[in-house]
Amino acid sequence: MKHLSKRSALAPLLLAAALFAPAASAEPHTNFVYGSGAWADETTATVIAINQAITVCQQSGGSVLFGYTVVARQFIHPNWGITVAIRCQYP
């Protein structure tokens, strides 16, 4: 049985990691940012949730992309609870 040194055994793993690792690029990336709001009417709760998500995106250095998605919506008397997701682009 041939004995392999630790260095020679790791070489194929390091080569594979280098070949398949994502290249660092200057391309911007996007993430979902979530916000939530609660109010007696659904529209106001949605606006609060969107504003919260926008604030989080901008305070973390991102730019808000167009649109939003309602992720969760629940009526618990007397208020609506709304959670939204927006796409936030980072440099």
Side-chain angles (χ1 to χ4, degrees):
M1 181 173 184
K2 186 176 177 181
H3 176 72
L4 296 175
S5 71
K6 287 182 183 180
R7 177 181 254 168
S8 63
L10 288 176
L13 292 175
L14 293 174
L15 179 61
L19 290 174
F20 296 107
S25 68
E27 296 282 327
H29 64 281
T30 60
N31 287 337
F32 283 106
V33 175
Y34 298 89
S36 59
W39 202 259
D41 69 281
E42 190 175 2
T43 302
T44 304
T46 304
V47 170
I48 291 169
I50 292 168
N51 285 339
Q52 183 186 59
I54 289 171
T55 300
V56 170
C57 174
Q58 291 175 340
Q59 285 182 346
S60 62
S63 300
V64 178
L65 299 178
F66 183 76
Y68 71 94
T69 302
V70 174
V71 177
R73 177 179 155 229
Q74 185 175 17
F75 182 75
I76 302 174
H77 185 72
N79 292 324
W80 281 96
I82 306 290
T83 302
V84 300
I86 62 170
R87 291 188 323 134
C88 187
Q89 185 174 33
Y90 298 96

